[in-house]
Amino acid sequence: MKTRQLRAYQEVLEYYRGRLSRDDVGLAPLPSRKGGPRPKGLTQAEVEQALPAGSGVVQKIKSGALRPTPDLLMRLMNLLRVPPDQVRIAYLDLYGSEPVLPAASPSPRWRAVVASQREMACALTPGGQLTAWNPAFAELFGSRIPANWWEWTLSEEARGVLLEWDTRWAPALLTELTLLRHRYPDDSGLRDLYDQAIADPRLRELSLSGSGLGDEGRPLRHPRRGEGTAHVMAARTSGDVILTVLFQPAA
């Protein structure tokens, strides 16, 4: 009889269940059995005890008799110390979408990536803290580079650089912040920035645009190169947002 092949999310749960001990999940150790120490790995009952969950839940998930809810799956992943990328694999396999995970620590190697670019480029945390930038990006601000990109875009100073701010920039910025706020619900700095944005009377009157900054060209006044069109291109990693600003001076 052919053995049923486990799906990706089941394989992830089984693999990490086999790597942990009772002590790893806060359960008291059992006396050693005759013939040596107990093999590493949690039984299904031990997982249910540590979670806690009803009897037979883990077996039902393994057999396919129970499709876990997102909350139950994430509780299992946290208990079994599953790494973020494996969590994504399991979640995508089961639900067809990405899970909401805390942002990882920014990698220092993004400094080299950003520095190698000719166009204005920077790396920032989801909450907007600038962690790296190149000289072309620094030109946009003169002598004072802001600590937080999103905070700067909402400031009065930005309105002299991001032209037609009310109509061309603000709706997209608000959409971008709203998206980030839901992507990273535990980021307190991002939450504060979002609250600041929706408390601004000028922003409160705006409806959300169809998308965030995206690929659309918007008017920008560069301190050295004059007025022109900017395309803000974003690439997201697990811990950083990489922004590249493509600028075309007006003819």
Side-chain angles (χ1 to χ4, degrees):
M1 183 175 178
K2 188 176 180 181
T3 304
R4 186 184 73 88
Q5 185 175 1
L6 296 182
R7 285 182 52 176
Y9 77 92
Q10 295 164 323
E11 287 184 343
V12 168
L13 292 173
E14 284 299 293
Y15 178 79
Y16 287 95
R17 180 168 71 86
R19 292 171 63 89
L20 299 181
S21 65
R22 289 175 61 89
D23 184 59
D24 290 327
V25 295
L27 297 178
L30 295 174
S32 294
R33 297 185 301 181
K34 239 182 197 183
R38 180 184 174 199
K40 192 160 187 176
L42 295 167
T43 67
Q44 293 174 350
E46 286 169 338
V47 173
E48 290 159 0
Q49 181 184 352
L51 199 55
S55 177
V57 164
V58 175
Q59 174 56 32
K60 288 176 183 175
I61 292 173
K62 180 180 177 180
S63 69
L66 173 66
R67 185 177 189 267
T69 64
D71 176 68
L72 176 55
L73 181 69
M74 293 305 290
R75 286 170 58 208
L76 281 164
M77 294 288 172
N78 290 333
L79 177 72
L80 299 178
R81 304 182 185 183
V82 179
D85 281 344
Q86 293 296 330
V87 173
R88 291 186 178 94
I89 289 169
Y91 207 93
L92 282 162
D93 175 51
L94 190 50
Y95 308 116
S97 61
E98 291 265 0
V100 175
L101 297 175
S105 299
S107 169
R109 280 169 286 281
W110 282 115
R111 292 181 180 275
V113 173
V114 166
S116 69
Q117 294 201 46
R118 181 186 65 184
E119 305 287 351
M120 293 181 273
C122 69
L124 55 147
T125 66
Q129 293 292 326
L130 283 162
T131 58
W133 57 87
N134 64 1
F137 183 81
E139 282 184 356
L140 194 60
F141 305 98
S143 60
R144 191 182 69 83
I145 298 172
N148 188 292
W149 162 262
W150 295 117
E151 194 172 86
W152 177 81
T153 64
L154 301 175
S155 70
E156 288 295 334
E157 180 185 348
R159 290 158 174 74
V161 178
L162 309 178
L163 304 181
E164 301 178 35
W165 186 89
D166 291 322
T167 57
R168 301 293 302 280
W169 288 93
L173 291 168
L174 184 57
T175 298
E176 198 79 40
L177 273 176
T178 303
L179 179 59
L180 287 166
R181 171 71 182 84
H182 288 282
R183 268 194 178 130
Y184 304 99
D186 297 328
D187 189 316
S188 59
L190 185 54
R191 185 165 59 245
D192 290 344
L193 273 172
Y194 176 78
D195 291 344
Q196 173 190 340
I198 62 174
D200 187 325
R202 290 163 297 188
L203 285 172
R204 197 183 304 127
E205 300 301 320
L206 296 173
S207 58
L208 298 182
S209 67
S211 60
L213 291 171
D215 188 23
E216 182 181 338
R218 293 181 175 86
L220 182 144
R221 179 183 291 121
H222 191 283
R224 187 175 64 81
R225 302 171 68 188
E227 294 188 11
T229 301
H231 297 260
V232 181
M233 311 299 294
R236 294 176 178 85
T237 73
S238 59
D240 308 79
V241 179
I242 312 302
L243 292 184
T244 302
V245 183
L246 306 176
F247 180 70
Q248 180 64 46

